[in-house]
Amino acid sequence: MNYISTRGNFEAVSSARAIKLGMVPTGGLFVPEFLPVLSMNDLANMVNCSYQEVAEKVLGLYLTDYSAEEIRECIDRAYNGQNFDTPEIAPLFQLNNHTYFLELWHGPTAAFKDMALQIMPPLLSKAVKKVQSDKGIVILVATSGDTGKAALEGYKNVPGIRIIVFYPYGGVSKVQELQMTTTDGNNTYVVAVKGNFDDCQNAVKEIFGDPDYNRFLNEHGIELSSANSINWGRLVPQIIYYIWSYLSLVRQGQINMGDKINIVVPTGNFGNILAGYYAYRMGLPVNKFICASNENKVLTDFFRTGAYDRNREFIKTNSPSMDILISSNLERFLFEVNGHNSELINKWFRELNATGVFNIDAETRARIDAILAAGFATEEETLATIREVFEKKHYTVDTHTAVALKVYWDYVKSTKDHTPTVIASTANPFKFNAAVLEAIKGPEAIAGKDEMAILQELREVSGMEIHPGLRDLDKKPVRHNRVAAKEELVQEINNILGV
């Protein structure tokens, strides 16, 4: 299978080359030329498969230039008992008779990004060999909090690869910041950027799209790649867990094969929900996707009005991984919804770059409305949702998962749709411990306390053990303390690389 540009401006490439490049050098994102199909019989034959076996089948359909043995090697390295604390890898928790949390936070950094970023490094390492590149690879990552640590953990000490992570200064939780700044490894670098996540992401995209700078790096034996979900190698492993969740429901007798489900995803950059959409296009029986936003509700407004408008106030919320106004993977979604019409994509994204706004046509809106609903939750609603679930079910959710649950409740109230529903639970509650404890015990519970003390109190209140990746972060040495303005990032990269 080959991969093409959403903007029709680059030659078709193999999956290995798409993964090595990260994004289309001339602008745009790589997508598969066509989507493989899983029949009901194919799905039925996978019901009793392990997560690793499902992964092998799904990845084999997309990474056709990798051998079955190479794919198995990557899976064995990623999805094992050392990296994940449960043999199920992504277990389901049943909230009530039609609602299930898909727990995607059992990996080493306590966030859903581990599901892809534990397997992406070996996929990239093999891709570099396949395309016979003799240059060193430098991974550039913009993060709103979770991708950074997951990428650092996945790529640290990988031969021939260096990784530089950019995060918004003051725009992540203390735990998220400590996770990144205390990372060891001989090839890891972290830079706090004076700005928000969109500033980080835009700067990285501009660097990727600068031909002169890329030529300069090439002359020094360096090629850039990405670990963000703009890289197909980050996105394709996420398809696996949506298929896995459906098979789990069938295996547990919660649904029958062929029954439709709803999928709810707390959404910022649109990559996680897009992976679910790809699973649907492959044949997964889905009734509705529900896109959940926080108060940075650019996606909710877009899906409700057809106008994407990033010209708005950026709000720092208690669900910071969703504090995003430019959702990169929306481009892939619109490309797929419109039958690979690159002319439309070019038109809309030229308008977005020029004015900060674009409007989709009525036909596109109708196609989206048939499969996707959207909503948002305020910070107060997020805290109230955490408190309600804890009090009624003694189950603790993080702020992002709470956003998804509140939006889902609103959807059910307005539609009376009680289709069995899977909610992507994207982070361990201890990652956002201050907000979670505040929700459960009130603001006085966190007043004047640092996050390490709050971690311990949340452990006592919730009855959950602190995730191993979050323990004793304040006792680890801070190895990364670079701070730069977004205009200084190229110089920072040069300093790090010694060029």
Side-chain angles (χ1 to χ4, degrees):
M1 178 185 292
N2 283 331
Y3 290 78
I4 58 176
S5 170
T6 51
R7 303 189 188 181
N9 57 358
F10 202 72
E11 63 188 345
V13 300
S14 67
S15 63
R17 191 170 174 215
I19 290 170
K20 188 189 80 68
L21 286 171
M23 67 178 290
V24 179
T26 49
L29 302 173
F30 285 115
V31 296
E33 270 186 325
F34 63 92
L35 293 177
V37 174
L38 291 170
S39 67
M40 283 300 105
N41 191 52
D42 292 330
L43 289 170
N45 289 334
M46 295 164 65
V47 166
N48 293 313
C49 288
S50 66
Y51 191 92
Q52 294 84 349
E53 290 167 336
V54 174
E56 189 175 340
K57 292 178 186 295
V58 173
L59 294 180
L61 295 172
Y62 284 99
L63 309 180
T64 53
D65 52 332
Y66 288 71
S67 69
E69 182 181 1
E70 288 173 325
I71 290 173
R72 276 195 298 272
E73 287 174 2
C74 293
I75 290 169
D76 289 345
R77 173 176 162 177
Y79 305 124
N80 57 56
Q82 182 177 347
N83 293 335
F84 289 83
D85 63 12
T86 171
E88 293 176 274
I89 307 298
L92 285 172
F93 174 85
Q94 185 172 357
L95 184 67
N96 56 39
N97 62 2
H98 58 79
T99 310
Y100 306 82
F101 288 122
L102 177 61
E103 295 180 346
L104 299 173
W105 40 260
H106 289 273
T109 75
F112 83 96
K113 307 297 174 72
D114 291 324
M115 303 298 296
L117 283 165
Q118 282 300 300
I119 195 168
M120 190 181 172
L123 288 175
L124 177 60
S125 293
K126 292 184 185 300
V128 171
K129 293 178 183 177
K130 285 179 179 297
V131 301
Q132 299 179 328
S133 173
D134 59 354
K135 293 181 170 60
I137 300 294
V138 174
I139 306 284
L140 300 184
V141 180
T143 183
S144 56
D146 286 338
T147 293
K149 176 57 177 177
L152 290 164
E153 195 66 25
Y155 280 101
K156 72 179 183 183
N157 297 324
V158 174
I161 296 175
R162 286 177 282 183
I163 177 168
I164 308 173
V165 168
F166 305 98
Y167 73 93
Y169 184 69
V172 300
S173 76
K174 186 63 177 177
V175 164
Q176 287 177 311
E177 184 173 55
L178 283 172
Q179 279 189 298
M180 289 185 280
T181 59
T182 60
T183 302
D184 57 2
N186 57 23
N187 62 338
T188 61
Y189 307 89
V190 179
V191 180
V193 179
K194 296 175 182 175
N196 58 40
F197 169 74
D198 290 326
D199 294 323
C200 299
Q201 181 169 246
N202 288 339
V204 168
K205 284 183 177 179
E206 288 169 9
I207 290 167
F208 271 104
D210 184 336
D212 292 334
Y213 185 57
N214 278 267
R215 273 194 296 272
F216 168 76
L217 291 178
N218 266 260
E219 290 167 2
H220 287 83
I222 295 167
E223 287 184 311
L224 297 178
S225 189
S226 172
N228 286 91
S229 56
I230 56 176
N231 191 318
W232 180 251
R234 243 293 298 282
L235 194 58
V236 67
Q238 295 178 260
I239 298 171
I240 299 162
Y241 51 71
Y242 290 107
I243 295 173
W244 164 257
S245 70
Y246 187 88
L247 298 174
S248 297
L249 289 174
V250 174
R251 185 170 58 252
Q252 294 168 15
Q254 305 293 339
I255 62 173
N256 296 315
M257 180 58 68
D259 289 349
K260 291 186 176 182
I261 63 170
N262 292 332
I263 293 175
V264 188
V265 186
T267 308
N269 218 14
F270 209 77
N272 199 5
I273 194 168
L274 177 66
Y277 176 76
Y278 276 123
Y280 158 71
R281 290 286 301 274
M282 291 173 69
L284 194 71
V286 176
N287 173 57
K288 209 80 168 182
F289 289 97
I290 300 159
C291 176
S293 302
N294 62 19
E295 291 182 66
N296 291 292
K297 56 187 181 70
V298 63
L299 286 169
T300 301
D301 291 344
F302 170 67
F303 289 121
R304 289 181 176 177
T305 68
Y308 194 98
D309 185 355
R310 72 181 189 202
N311 300 322
R312 61 181 68 206
E313 178 188 3
F314 180 90
I315 303 169
K316 290 186 178 182
T317 74
N318 55 18
S319 49
S321 297
M322 299 159 65
D323 289 349
I324 295 172
L325 296 180
I326 303 171
S327 302
S328 292
N329 277 290
L330 184 64
E331 179 170 338
R332 280 185 170 119
F333 179 64
L334 293 173
F335 185 70
E336 299 292 354
V337 165
N338 281 291
H340 290 191
N341 188 332
S342 57
E343 288 184 12
L344 272 179
I345 298 302
N346 276 296
K347 173 181 179 294
W348 289 333
F349 284 85
R350 276 197 300 266
E351 291 172 1
L352 183 66
N353 289 335
T355 67
V357 182
F358 71 86
N359 289 272
I360 58 174
D361 57 88
E363 290 182 2
T364 300
R365 280 194 66 188
R367 284 192 286 269
I368 293 172
D369 289 345
I371 190 62
L372 187 146
F376 76 99
T378 66
E379 290 195 277
E380 293 76 15
E381 290 170 334
T382 300
L383 297 179
T385 302
I386 294 170
R387 182 167 57 253
E388 183 172 346
V389 172
F390 182 79
E391 290 176 349
K392 290 184 176 179
K393 300 290 184 178
H394 203 71
Y395 183 77
T396 311
V397 297
D398 86 295
T399 49
H400 305 76
T401 306
V403 167
L405 182 57
K406 176 59 171 68
V407 170
Y408 171 62
W409 284 344
D410 290 344
Y411 168 81
V412 172
K413 190 179 298 182
S414 64
T415 64
K416 306 296 187 282
D417 177 7
H418 294 286
T419 300
T421 296
V422 171
I423 298 175
S425 180
T426 53
N428 183 286
F430 285 95
K431 287 207 82 163
F432 305 94
N433 51 83
V436 173
L437 186 61
E438 178 185 357
I440 294 172
K441 294 193 68 178
E444 66 279 358
I446 63 171
K449 297 178 182 176
D450 66 35
E451 284 208 37
M452 298 304 111
I454 294 171
L455 271 175
Q456 294 300 326
E457 187 166 351
L458 182 58
R459 180 183 67 82
E460 294 169 7
V461 170
S462 68
M464 291 178 68
E465 286 301 316
I466 299 173
H467 189 284
L470 306 178
R471 293 175 192 157
D472 300 323
L473 288 173
D474 58 331
K475 298 175 183 175
K476 296 179 180 180
V478 172
R479 300 182 64 251
H480 311 282
N481 57 5
R482 294 174 181 264
V483 180
K486 59 183 179 180
E487 297 82 7
E488 302 168 344
L489 294 195
V490 167
Q491 188 57 52
E492 279 295 315
I493 293 170
N494 292 345
N495 292 340
I496 289 168
L497 301 181
V499 295

